[in-house]
Amino acid sequence: MLFHLQADGGKWSTMGTPLLPTSLPDWAWERADVRQALRTRDVGAVFRYVQQYSGASQARIAAAVGMTQARVNEIINRRREVSRLDVYERIADGLNMPDDARHLLGLAAGRERRSGGAAFDLAAFPEVVRVYSAQASAREEIQQQVRGAEQLDILAVRGLGLIGLNDSMLRAHLRARSGRLRARVLLLDPEAPALALRAAEIGESTESLASGVRLAETRLRELSGICDIEVYRYAMLPTWRLIRADSIMFVGAFDAGWEGHESATYKVMETPHGPLFRGFRRMFEAVVRGAQRTV
């Protein structure tokens, strides 16, 4: 069958017939496999379950979520990933997701239920969509997000394990990208008093930690040929460790006695009304403004 897709008063239509949002039956949204796909924001798996449990075709899904059939096919076959918040919202609306499914995806309740005058329900706006025991547990998820990102922000101490060395967590994934990336990396100033304090907290010599920062700066300069990179030195005692890939942020903490990669890592997703993502991003921008650019 040939489909002619057109916008009709904000709804998609085929051959002039309006298409309402497609959906899974209620019992299907409660299945463990569907809920796991939502938790991990595996949109390709969600689309496959919509096909399996509702019988909808790729063209029908495409019309419901405002995409082309070719784009839906790419997502289903893992040749393209979804990372933008507005696209998640459009998919949730087009698939008529119930509120608990939207929450698993990291979104607020449905628009028609958000428009009333009820008291603000923080539980309906979950930004922390996943918690990892340490960075190692989040490694693959972080790498996946960075591969598809247009902007990368990193707030670290020396950053060697993140991006500074050939075998670091992110370096190879920057080289594997197809598009140009803008990256900003904040490192602790090796000449600041805060560096000596941090070295004492983790039982390392000041000279060793300072040398690690300088080595990272040298190695980051090498990335200028594959991405638009800016490197800064900040002077305050580090508290938060941030990795932001577009609208997804991974947050850990520094404290006496442990390195940032040993901290629990929180995956924070930008939502329309949530304060956490915005607050951490605002903090990052403030640190950049007060930092010294070196690369």
Side-chain angles (χ1 to χ4, degrees):
M1 178 183 295
L2 295 177
F3 284 82
H4 173 64
L5 302 182
Q6 62 183 29
D8 182 11
K11 298 182 181 299
W12 291 89
S13 64
T14 62
M15 306 298 282
T17 302
L19 279 176
L20 297 175
T22 191
S23 181
L24 294 176
D26 290 342
W27 58 264
W29 289 116
E30 299 172 1
R31 286 183 55 92
D33 50 3
V34 175
R35 295 179 73 82
Q36 179 61 19
L38 291 168
R39 286 191 187 95
T40 58
R41 286 148 304 284
D42 186 345
V43 175
V46 172
F47 284 170
R48 288 193 294 274
Y49 291 135
V50 171
Q51 289 182 296
Q52 179 179 351
Y53 298 132
S54 74
S57 65
Q58 290 185 11
R60 179 70 179 84
I61 295 171
V65 302
M67 295 180 179
T68 64
Q69 182 179 349
R71 178 61 53 84
V72 169
N73 182 270
E74 287 178 334
I75 293 171
I76 288 175
N77 289 288
R78 302 189 183 281
R79 294 193 298 272
R80 184 179 290 270
E81 298 171 353
V82 175
S83 59
R84 286 173 44 189
L85 177 63
D86 61 319
V87 179
Y88 284 119
E89 287 275 9
R90 195 168 73 235
I91 290 169
D93 291 341
L95 297 182
N96 200 24
M97 286 187 188
D99 283 351
D100 60 339
R102 295 178 67 100
H103 295 167
L104 289 172
L105 195 59
L107 302 176
R111 290 194 179 101
E112 65 279 4
R113 290 177 290 279
R114 294 202 303 265
S115 60
F120 185 88
D121 181 8
L122 185 60
F125 301 86
E127 293 180 89
V128 180
V129 293
R130 194 163 186 181
V131 181
Y132 298 88
S133 59
Q135 178 185 285
S137 302
R139 183 182 182 93
E140 292 185 4
E141 176 75 4
I142 296 172
Q143 291 169 337
Q144 176 185 353
Q145 294 297 332
V146 169
R147 281 197 300 270
E150 296 179 357
Q151 294 185 338
L152 173 65
D153 287 338
I154 294 175
L155 172 59
V157 170
R158 57 189 141 192
L160 288 174
L162 282 177
I163 194 172
L165 301 176
N166 289 341
D167 60 351
S168 61
M169 183 173 69
L170 299 179
R171 197 175 183 98
H173 296 272
L174 300 185
R175 296 184 181 279
R177 292 173 44 83
S178 58
R180 191 82 174 173
L181 174 74
R182 182 197 179 197
R184 296 182 295 175
V185 182
L186 283 160
L187 304 177
L188 183 56
D189 188 338
E191 300 175 4
L195 184 131
L197 293 175
R198 180 58 187 163
E201 286 183 340
I202 59 176
E204 186 173 344
S205 71
T206 301
E207 293 75 14
S208 173
L209 184 54
S211 296
V213 175
R214 293 188 178 100
L215 174 60
E217 288 178 336
T218 299
R219 297 303 311 276
L220 289 172
R221 287 189 181 94
E222 300 170 1
L223 296 175
S224 60
I226 63 171
C227 64
D228 299 321
I229 190 162
E230 301 173 7
V231 181
Y232 298 84
R233 291 181 177 182
Y234 66 92
M236 65 183 185
L237 186 68
T239 301
W240 297 108
R241 187 174 196 261
L242 304 181
I243 304 170
R244 181 183 73 87
D246 293 341
S247 61
I248 302 293
M249 187 177 293
F250 297 87
V251 181
F254 298 106
D255 202 354
W258 77 62
E259 299 270 21
H261 68 270
E262 299 172 328
S263 164
T265 299
Y266 297 83
K267 182 177 180 181
V268 181
M269 183 174 183
E270 184 178 15
T271 64
H273 306 284
L276 291 179
F277 184 96
R278 295 181 184 184
F280 280 122
R281 186 167 185 177
R282 179 183 174 91
M283 181 200 70
F284 185 93
E285 298 296 341
V287 176
V288 168
R289 287 194 295 271
Q292 175 188 3
R293 183 172 175 179
T294 60
V295 177

